[in-house]
Amino acid sequence: CGGGGQSTAELAAAPVLRVEGRVAPMGEAAPVAASVKAREATASPEPARITLGALQSLKEAAVQAGTGPRLVGEARAVSAAATPAQTQRLLRWEGTATGGQVAALSVSAKNALGLRLGVQVNALPEQAVLRVYSQARPATVYQILGKDVLRHVLRNIQAEGDTSDARTWWAPEMGSDEATLEIELPMGVPVQAVDIALPSVS
């Protein structure tokens, strides 16, 4: 940014603040960051599919009028997966090569420039792996552990109270009018431990 009109002498006399790097103490677990990575496209399970039509909204009219704030995204209800029971019925669990189970759910919205899934989390095993990708590019995957999603939800609940909004984890946007959520459970973790819904997208 600009110097704010200060002279060179004034800038030279200003104190310089030093920021030290942080080193984790011995024994402290490093946070597991979510990541975007490549994988074999053939590893993707066949998802249950939800198709939403083109969005009919007042957003375009508001843009044409040139008034009010610009909207980046617009919420849409996903009635087919609005409750945990509906979502569980949609998920078709398959066995994995490592003895676990995996299922996927795909949502597409006609003419959307991008799509984010709003996953309402009531219960999720810490060992679960959640992956988000588009069917057009299934080898480019955003991956996050269940424990990190739970940590995000807990922070929301502590800040906002225990509401459905606080329990919602918004998946990243993958640059497509379709997004797939994949859930993989390790061996010995029952599918009944997954209590989620997908009531909305943006």
Side-chain angles (χ1 to χ4, degrees), residues 163-190:
T163 65
S164 59
D165 284 345
R167 287 188 170 274
T168 300
W169 172 71
W170 285 96
E173 188 268 313
M174 300 301 286
S176 173
D177 64 357
E178 181 276 337
T180 298
L181 173 69
E182 179 183 311
I183 306 163
E184 183 174 348
L185 302 176
M187 183 169 51
V189 177

Side-chain angles (χ1 to χ4, degrees), residues 70-202:
R70 298 290 185 191
L71 295 176
V72 175
E74 189 157 347
R76 289 190 75 175
V78 183
S79 58
T83 67
Q86 288 173 300
T87 305
Q88 189 64 270
R89 281 195 295 271
L90 286 169
L91 294 173
R92 299 189 293 260
W93 295 96
E94 309 171 6
T96 66
T98 57
Q101 298 191 76
V102 65
L105 180 60
S106 164
V107 181
S108 58
K110 187 177 179 183
N111 299 331
L113 299 178
L115 198 63
R116 292 184 73 195
L117 307 177
V119 183
Q120 186 177 314
V121 179
N122 299 314
L124 185 67
E126 288 191 354
Q127 315 94 306
V129 177
L130 277 65
R131 300 183 182 97
V132 181
Y133 50 90
S134 73
Q135 290 296 313
R137 289 180 289 132
T140 302
V141 179
Y142 175 91
Q143 181 171 297
I144 187 169
L145 291 175
K147 68 177 181 180
D148 294 316
V149 173
L150 291 171
R151 192 176 299 145
H152 170 84
V153 168
L154 179 60
R155 281 196 302 264
N156 284 350
I157 291 172
Q158 289 171 340
E160 306 168 22
D162 194 352
T163 65
S164 59
D165 284 345
R167 287 188 170 274
T168 300
W169 172 71
W170 285 96
E173 188 268 313
M174 300 301 286
S176 173
D177 64 357
E178 181 276 337
T180 298
L181 173 69
E182 179 183 311
I183 306 163
E184 183 174 348
L185 302 176
M187 183 169 51
V189 177
V191 299
Q192 292 78 12
V194 176
D195 185 1
I196 64 169
L198 184 58
S200 60
V201 297
S202 177

Side-chain angles (χ1 to χ4, degrees), residues 9-99:
E10 289 172 323
L11 289 172
V16 176
L17 302 178
R18 183 174 175 185
V19 179
E20 299 291 344
R22 180 182 181 274
V23 177
M26 293 294 289
E28 181 177 326
V32 179
S35 61
V36 175
K37 63 179 191 175
R39 71 161 177 180
E40 292 290 330
T42 54
S44 306
E46 183 60 33
R49 297 179 186 268
I50 298 173
T51 304
L52 305 175
L55 180 64
Q56 303 296 320
S57 77
L58 300 176
K59 179 178 177 179
E60 190 169 323
V63 170
Q64 296 294 334
T67 59
R70 298 290 185 191
L71 295 176
V72 175
E74 189 157 347
R76 289 190 75 175
V78 183
S79 58
T83 67
Q86 288 173 300
T87 305
Q88 189 64 270
R89 281 195 295 271
L90 286 169
L91 294 173
R92 299 189 293 260
W93 295 96
E94 309 171 6
T96 66
T98 57

